[in-house]
Amino acid sequence: MTTTTTSTSSTTTTDLSSQLAAAAQSIISGATNSTMDVNSLVQTLVAAKTVGQSTIITNKQTSDNTELSAVGQIKSALSSLDTALAGFLNGSALAQMQAAVTGTGVTATTSTGAVAGTYSVAVTNVATSSTARLNPIATGTTFNADTLSIQVGSGAATSVTIKAGASLTDVASAINKANAGVSAAVITATDASGNVNQYLTLTSTQTGSNTAISISDSGGANAALASVQSSTTGVDANVSINGIATTSASNTLTNVLTGVTLDISGAAANSTQTLTVSADTSASASAIQSFVTAYNNYVTTAGKLSSYDSSTSTAGPLLGDSMTNGITNGLASLISAGVKSGSTTYSLASIGLNLQPDGTLQVDSTALQTALTSNPTAVNAIFNSATGIGAKLDTFMSSYIQTSGIIDQRTQALNQDLSNLQDQATQLTNYSNELTAQYTAQFSALNTLMAQMQNNTNYLTQLFGGKNSAGSLATNK
């Protein structure tokens, strides 16, 4: 929308009149006694020829930039609304599930594919790590430069470099830095005779029966580092879900129950707990609230940009704009129409989304929670991924916000207009510079001529006399 401002033009006309009057006086003064102010005169005359067009260009640039910003805000609000609808379009917003487990020691999380149900989880034993302990080594012992080889289960062996003079603590640090699949630590103990010894202990970072630890002194320089005093091989977890037994090397079970991850690491041996998977109505309510927030954001944004403030006589940049009105009315029509499923039409108000006089939606949290819990049929119909309100709004908005859509075309037209205006401004500047040079040359020459005429007048007065002067020739008669 283009708006016309008259006050600026009126002020400019007044200023030019006063400037032209001053220029005329400058010419008069120059023709009589004083020298003309050429620069001021030239600036005034050039402004008289260019300021009108310059004002038109500047006002149009301001109008285009304001409109461009407003159109950008409309697209941003619509894009945010479309993003808030994504979970309803792919069905994930209402398909979120939650898991709860009785007792302690077992936790569960849900992901895509989880279905509602109740399951008995019986844990016979959890999976454990393998351990190994080397023979005791006297405190203060240092080792030769060497290479150790550590293997966990059937995996590849890892080489660990030991530097000359390393302590047992240094050895443990080197093993940990090598990521050999084990965690190394040093335990210091005093025996009954008062002897202080250190023990290097290794624990596999993974659990299960395939984690047995072996260590060898491949460099042959430190046999004590390969002398295992005792070792324990880890075991697999044994669990049954609804009476169906399974084993796992890990205490995190990801493939036993579709869409559910179980962590049994804290479970007591031979314990049974109940897992309940149900619809996560809180997550669904949150997704619906996000949709309402995004929709209301568009309504308030469009309303502000297309309103008129009578107290300040200020019009929004999109007041009366057909595109904005079309978007707002189209969205409002879809919202108020509800969704038809079979022979039943469900209004958004039926699940607690109430349309307000200003066009926004207000969420009745109690009514929405009741609908999610007791009337899922209505909720699923309204937000059906193919025929629900989200799908209808997305289809309607796509022609506006898609690449090269209506809004992009509007933006491109405004940018092209701004480019043309910049070209006009450049041409006007060039014209102004040419006029300045032309007028400067002309009035500088005139100024010189008038100065010469004034000098001649003074000389003739000195010779022949004039007003209040007899003249030198007159006195010699």
Side-chain angles (χ1 to χ4, degrees):
M1 174 182 176
T2 302
T3 57
T4 303
T5 304
T6 58
S7 60
T8 301
S9 299
S10 176
T11 302
T12 301
T13 301
T14 301
D15 292 342
L16 280 175
S17 297
S18 62
Q19 291 171 358
L20 286 172
Q25 183 60 50
S26 178
I27 293 175
I28 293 172
S29 300
T32 55
N33 295 313
S34 62
T35 301
M36 288 187 295
D37 184 352
V38 174
N39 288 335
S40 296
L41 179 59
V42 169
Q43 290 175 8
T44 301
L45 292 175
V46 171
K49 281 184 169 289
T50 60
V51 73
Q53 183 62 24
S54 177
T55 300
I56 291 173
I57 292 173
T58 299
N59 288 345
K60 190 61 171 67
Q61 286 175 322
T62 299
S63 175
D64 280 359
N65 280 315
T66 300
E67 185 177 344
L68 192 63
S69 174
V71 170
Q73 292 178 61
I74 290 295
K75 183 175 183 181
S76 177
L78 286 176
S79 297
S80 294
L81 174 57
D82 201 49
T83 298
L85 293 172
F88 299 104
L89 299 178
N90 61 28
S92 64
L94 299 182
Q96 298 184 65
M97 308 297 286
Q98 60 185 351
V101 182
T102 61
T104 59
V106 177
T107 60
T109 57
T110 59
S111 57
T112 303
V115 295
T118 301
Y119 309 89
S120 173
V121 180
V123 180
T124 301
N125 63 272
V126 298
T128 60
S129 299
S130 296
T131 62
R133 185 181 71 196
L134 303 190
N135 283 321
I137 296 174
T139 301
T141 300
T142 58
F143 300 93
N144 301 316
D146 199 2
T147 300
L148 300 179
S149 179
I150 298 177
Q151 184 175 12
V152 178
S154 57
T158 301
S159 295
V160 180
T161 301
I162 307 301
K163 295 181 179 180
S167 66
L168 193 60
T169 300
D170 294 332
V171 172
S173 178
I175 293 173
N176 290 331
K177 290 179 180 178
N179 296 316
V182 296
S183 174
V186 175
I187 297 176
T188 301
T190 303
D191 61 21
S193 301
N195 299 316
V196 180
N197 293 310
Q198 291 183 315
Y199 297 82
L200 179 65
T201 64
L202 305 176
T203 303
S204 64
T205 55
Q206 301 295 321
T207 57
S209 58
N210 188 32
T211 59
I213 300 170
S214 61
I215 181 170
S216 61
D217 177 21
S218 56
N222 299 291
L225 292 178
S227 178
V228 177
Q229 185 181 45
S230 64
S231 63
T232 302
T233 302
V235 298
D236 293 334
N238 287 280
V239 185
S240 65
I241 309 294
N242 282 359
I244 302 174
T246 185
T247 61
S248 172
S250 170
N251 288 314
T252 301
L253 312 180
T254 57
N255 299 315
V256 176
L257 189 59
T258 303
V260 177
T261 298
L262 281 173
D263 184 344
I264 63 169
S265 57
N270 300 313
S271 62
T272 300
Q273 302 192 46
T274 301
L275 165 68
T276 302
V277 180
S278 60
D280 189 350
T281 57
S282 295
S284 298
S286 178
I288 293 173
Q289 179 63 67
S290 294
F291 150 64
V292 170
T293 299
Y295 179 78
N296 289 346
N297 177 60
Y298 168 78
V299 172
T300 54
T301 298
K304 180 180 179 181
L305 294 172
S306 59
S307 65
Y308 180 79
D309 187 343
S310 58
S311 64
T312 59
S313 299
T314 303
L318 297 178
L319 177 63
D321 182 69
S322 59
M323 182 191 76
T324 304
N325 291 340
I327 296 172
T328 301
N329 294 335
L331 293 176
S333 178
L334 292 172
I335 290 292
S336 61
V339 175
K340 186 174 183 179
S341 179
S343 59
T344 303
T345 297
Y346 296 95
S347 69
L348 271 67
S350 66
I351 61 170
L353 308 186
N354 302 310
L355 190 61
Q356 303 300 296
D358 63 357
T360 61
L361 288 170
Q362 186 177 71
V363 179
D364 182 334
S365 300
T366 301
L368 176 59
Q369 190 60 47
T370 299
L372 288 168
T373 304
S374 306
N375 192 11
T377 299
V379 175
N380 290 330
I382 290 173
F383 291 103
N384 182 279
S385 60
T387 60
I389 190 66
K392 293 179 184 295
L393 293 175
D394 177 69
T395 299
F396 173 77
M397 291 188 294
S398 64
S399 62
Y400 290 96
I401 62 177
Q402 66 186 356
T403 302
S404 299
I406 295 173
I407 294 181
D408 279 0
Q409 293 173 26
R410 174 82 169 268
T411 300
Q412 183 179 7
L414 287 168
N415 282 324
Q416 183 59 55
D417 193 44
L418 284 168
S419 178
N420 293 338
L421 289 169
Q422 184 57 51
D423 290 342
Q424 294 176 33
T426 300
Q427 294 170 11
L428 187 61
T429 298
N430 293 337
Y431 175 62
S432 176
N433 292 336
E434 291 173 1
L435 278 180
T436 298
Q438 177 184 337
Y439 286 156
T440 298
Q442 291 175 346
F443 285 106
S444 292
L446 178 59
N447 200 30
T448 300
L449 178 60
M450 289 191 296
Q452 292 174 348
M453 291 175 63
Q454 184 64 40
N455 290 334
N456 291 338
T457 299
N458 292 337
Y459 176 69
L460 291 174
T461 299
Q462 291 174 358
L463 290 176
F464 300 105
K467 184 177 181 180
N468 300 323
S469 175
S472 60
L473 292 180
T475 58
N476 291 328
K477 292 179 179 179

